[in-house]
Amino acid sequence: MLPSQDLAGLLVEFTLRRLHTVGVVAGLLFLIASAAMALTSAGAGKRLILPVVGVLVMVILTMVSQHVVIRRMNVLRRGMGSVVETPKDNPLRVEFDRLHGVSVQLEGATLLIGVVALFLTVRN
């Protein structure tokens, strides 16, 4: 248990930063491996089109989350000092909460697309 929600938020941001890095690297490796399979195996390119598009979208969503949404949330967090102690009607808090919702949606979409891409890849 962490002593405050603010520390929990910092831990989540720290963890997501690393998870995003691993995700982008894994996505790029998948794309490289898919390209190699398409070049060496007849018909593999057509079977991998949907998973490749899915992984490309995942990489893009991950980069937007990390380099746009979370970066902006960090600026807002510094401006507030404490998110928890900032009134919910404070414009900084309102924007932070909105971006938090966007971040959750991006992470959820990335996870869902990943499950579908995995299914399509294994099925092939």
Side-chain angles (χ1 to χ4, degrees):
M1 292 288 290
L2 295 173
S4 76
Q5 286 181 326
D6 287 319
L7 285 177
L10 291 173
L11 178 62
V12 169
E13 188 272 330
F14 174 85
T15 305
L16 279 178
R17 193 172 340 125
R18 275 129 189 96
L19 179 66
H20 287 165
T21 300
V22 169
V24 169
V25 169
L28 294 176
L29 289 174
F30 177 86
L31 295 173
I32 291 167
S34 296
M37 281 184 63
L39 293 173
T40 60
S41 176
K46 287 182 181 179
R47 289 191 314 267
L48 289 172
I49 288 174
L50 286 177
V52 164
V53 169
V55 170
L56 274 172
V57 171
M58 289 172 66
V59 168
I60 291 167
L61 292 178
T62 298
M63 293 178 75
V64 167
S65 178
Q66 183 63 45
H67 299 291
V68 177
V69 177
I70 293 175
R71 181 174 287 162
R72 179 71 182 134
M73 287 173 70
N74 286 337
V75 169
L76 292 167
R77 182 183 288 121
R78 283 192 298 275
M80 289 183 280
S82 169
V83 175
V84 175
E85 293 180 17
T86 302
K88 291 188 183 272
D89 61 347
N90 179 300
L92 296 175
R93 175 73 184 265
V94 170
E95 179 65 3
F96 182 90
D97 290 344
R98 184 188 74 77
L99 289 172
H100 182 266
V102 170
S103 175
V104 169
Q105 290 173 340
L106 289 171
E107 297 298 331
T110 301
L111 178 62
L112 181 62
I113 294 167
V115 169
V116 172
L118 177 64
F119 171 78
L120 293 173
T121 301
V122 171
R123 186 184 70 160
N124 291 330

